[in-house]
Amino acid sequence: AAGFENQITDIDGVIRAEDRLFDYLEDTYGKPVDILRETPFTLVLDKTQAEPLGLREGQIVRGEIDLVWMLEDGACVLVDYKSYPHFDSDLNAPQVREHYAGYAPQLALYSYALQSAGYRVTDGLIYYPVQGRIIRIKSKTFRKEPVPVYNSEVRNIDSWKITTIVS
C-alpha cells in the first residue's frame, strides 16, 4: 500500500467511520450475535453458481469477505469495503453506478460461499468509509427466506439503495 499513509491522515476519522457503520448495521438489521472480519473462503462452484457469472462449473474461487454481520438463526449481512476517488460526483451518474454495480458478481460469490457454509445471506452492502456511503445491492442471490435457491440472473442488480451515514 505504497503511499496509503498519505491518504489516511485522520485515524480518529477511520474509527468514527467504523462506528457509524456498526450503528447503521445495528439500527437496520439488529444487534449481531457475532461479527466476522476478513473471513477467508474457498468455494468450488456448482453449475447453478458458475453459469450466471460466466465461470466454469468446478472452478475454485478463493477470497476474503471483509465483514459478516451475523444475526440469529443463521442469517447474515455481508459488507464489502471499497474506495472510489470520485464519489463527490452524482451518485446516479453512469460511471458511479457502473462502479458499484460492477461488484454485484463479487457479492454473489461471497453469498454463495456463506450459503455453502449454512448461512442465509439477507443483504449485501458495499461500504465506502471515506465518503460515509453504503450501497445496498439487492440481488436474487440474497434470501430473506431460508431457501438455498440460486437465480440465473445474478449479473443484474435488481435494485440498490444509497445511504449516507456521514453527518
Side-chain angles (χ1 to χ4, degrees):
F4 194 64
E5 63 278 356
N6 295 329
Q7 295 177 20
I8 298 182
T9 57
D10 180 9
I11 299 301
D12 290 334
V14 172
I15 294 168
R16 283 191 306 276
E18 179 99 336
D19 289 343
R20 284 192 302 267
L21 172 64
F22 283 22
D23 289 345
Y24 170 82
L25 291 169
E26 190 167 326
D27 290 347
T28 305
Y29 302 101
K31 194 165 185 70
V33 295
D34 199 2
I35 299 170
L36 308 178
R37 297 173 186 266
E38 299 178 5
T39 305
F41 70 90
T42 301
L43 175 68
V44 179
L45 296 174
D46 66 29
K47 185 176 181 178
T48 61
Q49 297 165 333
E51 285 184 356
L53 298 172
L55 301 173
R56 295 181 323 276
E57 179 180 5
Q59 187 168 346
I60 298 171
V61 178
R62 290 182 178 89
E64 195 169 272
I65 303 170
D66 291 334
L67 189 132
V68 183
W69 191 259
M70 300 299 299
L71 302 167
E72 293 182 9
D73 302 327
C76 63
V77 176
L78 66 90
V79 180
D80 195 38
Y81 290 68
K82 297 292 181 194
S83 62
Y84 184 63
H86 306 291
F87 227 104
D88 55 343
S89 56
D90 177 9
L91 294 178
N92 287 308
Q95 72 274 15
V96 177
R97 287 174 57 177
E98 183 176 312
H99 181 264
Y100 58 77
Y103 292 111
Q106 180 182 356
L107 292 180
L109 288 169
Y110 290 174
S111 178
Y112 293 149
L114 289 165
Q115 289 171 7
S116 295
Y119 299 108
R120 181 171 37 95
V121 180
T122 60
D123 259 330
L125 307 173
I126 299 173
Y127 179 47
Y128 295 91
V130 174
Q131 293 85 6
R133 295 214 169 95
I134 294 171
I135 310 296
R136 179 175 172 244
I137 303 295
K138 187 165 178 160
S139 172
K140 291 178 179 144
T141 59
F142 309 133
R143 297 286 174 199
K144 304 297 183 203
E145 70 281 353
V147 179
V149 177
Y150 302 106
N151 183 280
S152 63
E153 286 299 320
V154 294
R155 283 186 192 208
N156 299 323
I157 295 174
D158 301 321
S159 64
W160 53 83
K161 179 181 177 188
I162 301 168
T163 302
T164 301
I165 59 173
V166 170
S167 49

